[in-house]
């Protein structure tokens, strides 16, 4: 056996016919010039948002959005603090309720917040029933609530979905003789904070400031306004003869919003020895700069999505935010998102969200056609392209958002803001400025890009929130 093993070992060794008679390839490589690629980067994404946004030149670094005066107030989201299983509303956040918008007495707000009672509801439980007395204000701390109504022929109708931070029943702050116009039912396990009218009444007996504020709100004349909250422009139509025509004017916001250009910057450093000696066949400084610019553009798109001041996710109005009916992004949810605005131009979603949308299409037996955007075929719903954007976050609960936008300055949509013609401009809105050479012979370049985004009217931007992206049914 040992002899056989030795033979097998000998047979496995490479056999040499004799001494090498030509130059080995390993040695030959020392005289050869290799064919090489430019430096590659994994962090480059499609950056569709930067491609499809119309960019508007901002010469003074600030863009002012002038709008008609709007009388709509409130309609914000309430924030809570959680300690163990106990949830409390932050008193100052009660100002997000329309009736309390301008009330700033912190002691009264704290006393009001203390009177909210935490309630838990299981799936399917009714929180408020149509026709019953609307004597309670509800704040949704966690969960999902569906608003149900009744159609003309008695059939059930879905009126909307409420989720974390929403509120309903605020009419109980102003009157004690109203009734619920819809039924509110828990879709998931839900935690709400409830303020009964009786608890509010006891507080009004000791808080003169709160009582006077609510009385003033109750006595305000109803401003004639359109469904967007803008003051009506008085018109006459269908008349005959020579009646006196109404006089009117369109009022403007006294303090319109201004968007200042934001900046993303970095300092690129290249040693002079590298820049001088290692520039063939590729310019080292140029290759370093290309990769740096790619990283800046990725950060630019991230800011356009997530920045707290001008990011799209944070600038969508409350009434333009909707919740999915069942968790995953159903075709019905996309229909509702698109229908919230005229001329929806694009939908933006994380790649995992797009995969979830595709699963729901397949499950429903729907196979939409793709459309062409800038030479690439992308999926579409109702003819609206769905563009990939990996800057839209996915939460720890595996939920994400779908953004719908109408674009263009002439179309009262969403626009990108930048300034071109900068000193030492390398790309539109991006410049590279020489900063000098330090005593270690390191050359420094300041690389900067200036940008922002503006929403010209609220319905140009909408968000489908809390979409489950990992729901495999």
């Amino acid at each position: 056996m040992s002899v056989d093993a030795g033979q097998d070992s000998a047979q496995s060794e490479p056999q040499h016919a004799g001494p090498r008679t030509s130059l080995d390839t390993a040695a030959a490589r020392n005289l050869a010039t290799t064919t090489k690629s430019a430096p590659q980067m994994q962090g480059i994404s499609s950056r569709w948002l930067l491609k499809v946004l119309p960019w508007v030149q901002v010469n003074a670094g600030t863009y002012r959005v002038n709008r008609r005066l709007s009388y709509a107030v409130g309609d914000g989201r309430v924030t809570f603090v959680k300690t163990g299983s106990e949830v409390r509303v932050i008193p100052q956040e009660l100002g997000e309720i329309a009736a309390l918008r301008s009330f700033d007495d912190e002691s009264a707000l704290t006393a009001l917040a203390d009177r909210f009672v935490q309630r838990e509801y299981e799936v399917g439980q009714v929180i408020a029933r149509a026709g019953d007395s609307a004597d309670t204000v509800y704040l949704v701390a966690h969960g999902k609530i569906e608003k149900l109504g009744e159609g003309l022929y008695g059939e059930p109708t879905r009126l909307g979905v409420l989720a974390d931070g929403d509120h309903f029943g605020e009419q109980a702050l102003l009157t004690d003789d109203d009734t619920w116009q819809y039924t509110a039912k828990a879709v998931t396990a839900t935690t709400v904070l409830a303020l009964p009218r009786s608890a509010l009444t006891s507080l009004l007996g000791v808080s003169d400031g709160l009582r006077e504020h609510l009385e003033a709100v109750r006595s305000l004349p109803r401003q004639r306004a359109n469904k967007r909250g803008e003051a009506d422009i008085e018109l006459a139509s269908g008349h005959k003869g020579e009646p006196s025509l109404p006089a009117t004017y369109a009022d403007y916001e006294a303090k319109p919003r201004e968007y200042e250009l934001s900046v993303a910057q970095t300092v690129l450093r290249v040693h002079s020895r590298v820049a001088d000696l290692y520039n063939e066949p590729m310019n080292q400084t140029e290759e370093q700069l290309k990769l740096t610019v790619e990283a800046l553009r990725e950060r630019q798109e991230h800011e356009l999505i997530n920045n707290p001041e001008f990011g799209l996710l944070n600038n969508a109005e409350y009434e333009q935010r909707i919740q999915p009916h069942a968790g995953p992004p159903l075709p019905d949810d996309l229909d509702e998102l698109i229908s919230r605005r005229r001329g929806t131009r694009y939908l933006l979603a994380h790649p995992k969200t797009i995969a979830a949308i595709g699963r729901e299409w397949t499950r429903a037996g729907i196979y939409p056609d793709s459309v062409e955007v800038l030479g690439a075929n992308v999926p579409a719903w109702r003819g609206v392209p769905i563009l990939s954007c990996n800057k839209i976050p996915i939460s720890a609960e595996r939920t994400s958002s779908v953004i719908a936008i109408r674009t263009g300055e002439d179309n009262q949509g969403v626009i990108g803001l930048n300034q071109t013609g900068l000193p030492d401009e390398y790309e539109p809105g991006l410049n590279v400025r020489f900063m000098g050479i330090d005593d270690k012979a390191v050359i420094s370049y300041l690389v900067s890009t200036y940008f922002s985004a503006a929403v010209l009217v609220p319905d140009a931007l909408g968000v489908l929130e809390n979409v489950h992206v990992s729901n495999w049914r």
Side-chain angles (χ1 to χ4, degrees), residues 5-16:
Q7 291 175 348
D8 292 342
S9 176
Q11 291 174 359
S12 64
E13 294 178 359
Q15 301 296 318
H16 297 287

Side-chain angles (χ1 to χ4, degrees), residues 51 142 165 178 200-202 213 216-217 230 248 338-339 368 413 426 441:
K51 296 175 183 177
H142 181 67
D178 204 352
L200 173 65
T201 302
S202 65
H213 173 80
V217 172
E230 299 168 335
T248 189
I338 292 173
S339 66
Y426 182 79

Side-chain angles (χ1 to χ4, degrees), residues 63-321:
Y63 186 89
R64 177 181 297 160
V65 178
N66 290 306
R67 294 177 179 170
R68 282 180 58 189
L69 180 62
S70 175
Y71 295 95
V73 296
D75 286 341
R77 290 205 166 174
V78 182
T79 305
F80 305 86
V81 60
K82 190 173 187 294
T83 305
S85 59
E86 182 183 358
V87 179
R88 295 189 73 254
V89 61
I90 298 175
Q92 292 77 7
E93 289 293 311
L94 293 175
E96 296 298 331
I97 301 175
L100 299 173
R101 168 66 69 162
S102 59
F103 186 65
D104 56 2
D105 186 338
E106 292 194 8
S107 61
L109 288 175
T110 301
L112 186 61
D114 290 340
R115 283 167 167 75
F116 278 87
V117 180
Q118 182 174 338
R119 296 179 183 175
E120 307 287 340
Y121 294 90
E122 299 297 328
V123 177
Q125 276 192 282
V126 173
I127 300 172
R129 191 178 300 278
D132 290 351
S133 177
D135 59 356
T136 305
V137 182
Y138 291 100
L139 310 178
V140 185
H142 181 67
K144 189 180 296 185
I145 298 172
E146 197 166 43
K147 296 165 63 176
L148 304 173
E150 186 175 295
L152 180 62
Y153 301 102
E155 74 280 8
T157 58
R158 289 180 173 180
L159 303 179
V161 178
L162 303 171
D164 301 11
D166 290 336
H167 57 272
F168 62 103
E170 66 178 76
Q171 64 268 31
L173 293 173
L174 302 175
T175 181
D176 56 1
D177 59 357
D178 204 352
T179 57
W180 292 109
Q181 302 301 310
Y182 54 84
T183 296
K185 181 184 291 186
V187 180
T188 65
T190 302
T191 301
V192 302
L193 295 185
L195 176 69
R197 177 71 187 183
S198 57
L200 173 65
T201 302
S202 65
L203 176 61
L204 295 179
V206 296
S207 176
D208 295 337
L210 180 58
R211 184 180 66 256
E212 292 172 359
H213 173 80
L214 293 179
E215 288 176 352
V217 172
R218 192 181 300 114
S219 62
L220 284 175
R222 291 185 60 84
Q223 176 69 38
R224 294 187 60 185
N226 61 24
K227 64 180 181 179
R228 302 298 183 187
E230 299 168 335
D232 272 341
I233 295 179
E234 299 293 340
L235 303 170
S237 61
H239 51 274
K240 297 180 180 180
E242 299 178 351
S244 297
L245 297 179
T248 189
Y249 67 98
D251 204 356
Y252 302 140
E253 288 184 349
K255 296 181 179 179
R257 179 170 180 179
E258 294 184 347
Y259 293 85
E260 293 185 1
L261 292 185
S262 181
V263 62
Q265 292 179 306
T266 189
V267 176
L268 174 63
R269 292 190 173 96
V270 181
H271 199 285
S272 59
R273 185 188 305 128
V274 173
D276 292 341
L277 303 179
Y278 298 93
N279 274 339
E280 291 295 338
M282 299 179 189
N283 186 297
Q284 292 282 0
T285 302
E286 188 68 24
E287 295 302 326
Q288 288 281 304
L289 183 57
K290 286 180 181 178
L291 298 178
T292 303
V293 169
E294 292 288 352
L296 276 176
R297 293 304 190 194
E298 292 290 329
R299 175 61 65 85
Q300 179 180 355
E301 187 175 64
H302 178 274
E303 292 294 311
L304 290 173
I305 293 291
N306 299 288
N307 188 281
E309 296 296 326
F310 58 84
L312 300 186
L313 284 178
N314 296 302
N315 276 267
E317 295 288 340
Y318 173 76
E319 62 269 17
Q320 295 297 329
R321 298 174 182 268

